[in-house]
Amino acid sequence: MTTTEIAERLVALSRENKYEQAQKELYSEDAVSIEPEGSPGMTTVKGLDKIVEKGNHFQAMIEEFHGQELSDPVVAGNYFSISLTMDITFKGMGRVPMEEIALYKVADGKIVSEQFFYEVAPAQ
């Protein structure tokens, strides 16, 4: 698959909340997932199994999911980015509107890295 095909497939699956399917289908076995420093409950991990586990951990943190919007991907060479907004009530944290940019790198027809950019609220 080309970078554009991978980007479009990831967005399509993500819009259907099929994140784990997208990871297993589109990610390299040794992909890396990078979170901003100080992210609550989320860490940087390496390996598809760890990325799937991280996604499941994120889902377990959610009390109620109110909605999301994903932009169409912007592709440049082996990279693409997506803008994502989510409205989530987290267990013990309340309702949190989230806005982020996700940047992906593709090599050999698979996603080899994802990096998320968002504001991390200071601890209270």
Side-chain angles (χ1 to χ4, degrees):
M1 295 176 80
T2 68
T3 300
T4 299
E5 291 168 335
I6 290 169
E8 290 173 351
R9 179 75 174 145
L10 179 67
V11 168
L13 289 170
S14 297
R15 285 179 176 156
E16 296 176 20
N17 295 318
K18 296 180 179 177
Y19 293 104
E20 188 171 336
Q21 179 182 340
Q23 293 163 340
K24 290 180 175 179
E25 181 180 322
L26 302 171
Y27 284 51
S28 166
E29 286 294 325
D30 60 350
V32 97
S33 179
I34 304 164
E35 294 288 336
E37 188 173 322
S39 298
M42 302 304 290
T43 59
T44 296
V45 298
K46 182 173 183 174
L48 180 56
D49 290 345
K50 294 289 186 187
I51 291 172
V52 169
E53 182 180 309
K54 179 177 138 181
N56 291 334
H57 174 72
F58 180 77
Q59 293 297 322
M61 293 170 52
I62 296 173
E63 181 177 313
E64 186 175 353
F65 189 77
H66 306 285
Q68 71 177 0
E69 288 186 32
L70 283 90
S71 70
D72 290 332
V74 175
V75 179
N78 293 327
Y79 292 88
F80 68 94
S81 64
I82 300 168
S83 172
L84 172 65
T85 61
M86 293 183 282
D87 185 7
I88 299 171
T89 299
F90 288 100
K91 295 174 183 170
M93 293 174 55
R95 192 166 179 170
V96 179
M98 295 180 64
E99 295 182 53
E100 67 182 44
I101 295 290
L103 176 66
Y104 300 86
K105 181 178 181 182
V106 175
D108 299 320
K110 294 286 187 180
I111 294 171
V112 295
S113 71
E114 64 180 9
Q115 185 169 3
F116 302 105
F117 297 90
Y118 53 88
E119 296 295 321
V120 177
Q124 297 182 6

